[in-house]
Amino acid sequence: MIIGGKNFASLPPFVPVIFEFTVLLAALGMVGTFLIASDLKPYKWPRQFDIRSTEDKHIMAIDLALNKGKNKAEITSILKAAGASEVNEKNFE
């Protein structure tokens, strides 16, 4: 039934719905992009250097293969002299 001369399916009533749907898709796309860029997958366990890093410890990761200037003993002595409480070696392969 056409009441008051209005069209049955005109575009103006759907403009707010289309706008809100676009905002919803943009927000979901941003969440998906963040999860992909951060490598946070629900089926993959995150790679942690030390489980205590979330409590009261700060972690510095140094890749020994890419560090050409100093060896492991020199890096350990530099970190200990700077006040490091522990220096651990961990292999991720």
Side-chain angles (χ1 to χ4, degrees), residues 28-44:
L28 292 176
M30 287 174 59
V31 168
T33 303
F34 171 75
L35 293 176
I36 290 170
S38 299
D39 201 27
L40 297 173
K41 298 176 182 76
Y43 55 85
K44 181 181 173 189

